[in-house]
Amino acid sequence: MASIATSSAPVDTNPLNPLNLPPIASIGKSLIVTEDKMKFNFGLLKLHPEKMVDFESLRVNEFDIEDLFVKQGWKRYFD
């Protein structure tokens, strides 16, 4: 009977990419730099400055999304 060897070494995960998703763009010869300008109708822009996000209220109403923001590193923007 052959035994299967298993490794118990811990797997390093990147806290900014806990799901180990592939990069969107790579740096190097394959990266194509374009201008950072686009045509945009500023009349369509609506700003909502400093709206409070109450994670506790959302959690009580069975809409627990705080962990999604923590995993993506966005939680600091809501503190």
Side-chain angles (χ1 to χ4, degrees):
M1 251 179 130
S3 64
I4 299 173
T6 59
S7 174
S8 62
V11 177
D12 292 332
T13 58
N14 181 348
L16 299 177
N17 186 7
L19 299 177
N20 198 24
L21 298 173
I24 295 171
S26 60
I27 298 174
K29 293 182 180 180
S30 63
L31 183 64
I32 300 171
V33 179
T34 61
E35 292 186 35
D36 60 351
K37 298 177 183 177
M38 63 181 254
K39 293 179 182 179
F40 183 78
N41 183 352
F42 287 99
L44 299 175
L45 187 62
K46 295 179 183 178
L47 296 178
H48 298 282
E50 302 205 17
K51 294 284 185 181
M52 295 295 292
V53 177
D54 186 359
F55 289 111
E56 182 62 31
S57 176
L58 290 168
R59 185 181 306 111
V60 168
N61 290 292
E62 299 179 6
F63 196 68
D64 190 8
I65 60 169
E66 184 174 10
D67 195 43
L68 299 173
F69 288 87
V70 171
K71 287 181 179 178
Q72 295 182 57
W74 295 352
K75 181 69 165 71
R76 64 181 178 206
Y77 298 113
F78 296 90
D79 290 338

